Amino acid sequence: MTDLKTTTLSRRTMLLAAASAAPLLAISAGPARAGALPPTAVAYQPTPKDGKQCDGCNQFVAPNACKAVSGDIAPTGWCKLWVKKA
Ligand code: SF4
């Protein structure tokens, strides 16, 4: 036999636990930035192209991030958004 009050409390406890864990999951997801594009959308590759690479790009954030593209970005990478560092 299921106690309705216990079931409701358990469901509520689980929802509260999930809500409090969400920020931790967001933090552990890495350096993703709001509005940043996924690497596949900009043809990101972890190797240079035509002598151009991320550590020479204006969007690069050392040691391994980018203002415009989400995820880990290799200093030696490249994508279609490359802009010469100012
Ligand atoms: S080339 Fe520039 S815009 Fe593209 S991933 Fe590298 S740092 Fe970011």
Side-chain angles (χ1 to χ4, degrees), residues 28-74:
S28 66
R33 298 169 190 272
L37 297 168
T40 52
V42 292
Y44 171 79
Q45 60 187 48
T47 55
K49 183 171 183 177
D50 300 331
K52 298 171 183 170
Q53 61 183 49
C54 293
D55 64 1
C57 175
N58 206 35
Q59 303 290 345
F60 187 66
V61 180
N64 63 346
C66 173
K67 297 173 191 169
V69 180
S70 64
D72 284 346
I73 300 298

Side-chain angles (χ1 to χ4, degrees), residues 11-27:
R11 197 174 292 155
R12 180 177 185 185
T13 301
M14 289 176 62
L15 288 172
L16 288 172
S20 60
L24 295 175
L25 291 173
I27 289 169

